[in-house]
Amino acid sequence: AQKVTQAQTEISVVEKEDVTLDCVYETRDTTYYLFWYKQPPSGELVFLIRRNSFDEQNEISGRYSWNFQKSTSSFNFTITASQVVDSAVYFCALIPGGTSYGKLTFGQGTILTVHP
Amino acid sequence: EAQVTQNPRYLITVTGKKLTVTCSQNMNHEYMSWYRQDPGLGLRQIYYSMNVEVTDKGDVPEGYKVSRKEKRNFPLILESPSPNQTSLYFCASSLSGGLLNTGELFFGEGSRLTVL
């Protein structure tokens, strides 16, 4: 069985601070895919990134960056110079690459509050 | 406009009264899935469907049924709702290959269900 753990239930920062959201996963599959989604206060779910298990390159997109480390089964998400608009619930998720690749598992979510 | 439409958006019902939450997508997606979101538990997958007439259980299928008779529709059926099924429900869709190629899962706006 697969599992995704986001140990940080809530994080509170002041605008312009950097913040890292942790994600640790468990899976028996050698091929899998990891995702991050954002849920702003309005409630919709917004796709942020997808990463293959065989591609450990870090990724940067504007103020967002992702650090994928297979050795520690982690896929952490950093927001640089946070802004109030970054306030949201962030979910990490995993999907196996094998025969049950439709089975998507989310973490519990991290509530991020950015204060002005 | 590409979208996933869920109905109803809000529903209050009583224990044991069968209900159906509809989900429809207009993007010709093969993959569709249902999730429930509960505080502290994140999103948990209920059922998913890789294509017409192909459905499979997610992590929390008990008390729910689904069917996929047409590509665009994936209704969630609660035959005999109970209070522990009070939750926020999301439907989502993606190209089957697209889920792995881009990771983008298109979510509906959510259906808030209360079972008294």
Side-chain angles (χ1 to χ4, degrees), chain B residues 17-63:
Chain B
K17 187 176 180 183
K18 179 179 178 180
L19 69 93
T20 299
V21 186
T22 63
C23 175
S24 181
Q25 50 91 6
N26 62 0
M27 296 168 279
N28 202 36
H29 284 168
E30 291 183 347
Y31 177 90
M32 297 186 74
S33 54
W34 276 102
Y35 304 84
R36 60 178 289 174
Q37 183 175 6
D38 302 290
L41 297 176
L43 287 112
R44 293 178 292 168
Q45 191 180 55
I46 304 171
Y47 270 95
Y48 63 97
S49 170
M50 302 302 289
N51 211 328
V52 176
E53 302 291 2
V54 180
T55 62
D56 216 335
K57 294 177 181 178
D59 290 322
V60 289
E62 298 78 18

Side-chain angles (χ1 to χ4, degrees), chain A:
Chain A
Q2 58 207 45
K3 186 177 178 182
V4 177
T5 302
Q6 294 178 254
Q8 303 151 308
T9 306
E10 290 191 53
I11 300 176
S12 183
V13 299
V14 177
E15 216 171 12
K16 297 200 175 97
E17 280 187 42
D18 298 347
V19 58
T20 295
L21 283 61
D22 297 333
C23 173
V24 174
Y25 61 90
E26 297 174 28
T27 180
R28 293 183 192 153
D29 289 87
T30 54
T31 301
Y32 50 89
Y33 302 82
L34 295 161
F35 307 86
W36 276 94
Y37 286 85
K38 173 182 179 180
Q39 187 178 41
S42 49
E44 75 271 21
L45 285 147
V46 179
F47 166 76
L48 295 178
I49 190 172
R50 164 192 169 272
R51 176 60 73 207
N52 304 325
S53 57
F54 44 87
D55 180 4
E56 285 194 72
Q57 275 193 325
N58 290 335
E59 180 144 346
I60 298 174
S61 175
R63 296 183 297 106
Y64 295 170
S65 62
W66 290 269
N67 183 355
F68 175 34
Q69 292 197 330
K70 283 179 79 170
S71 60
T72 55
S73 297
S74 65
F75 186 41
N76 296 338
F77 173 32
T78 297
I79 302 174
T80 303
S82 59
Q83 300 176 0
V84 172
V85 293
D86 295 326
S87 296
V89 184
Y90 290 86
F91 293 100
C92 180
L94 176 148
I95 198 165
T99 54
S100 58
Y101 75 89
K103 194 164 184 178
L104 184 60
T105 299
F106 284 85
Q108 304 94 316
T110 297
I111 302 169
L112 173 65
T113 304
V114 182
H115 299 281

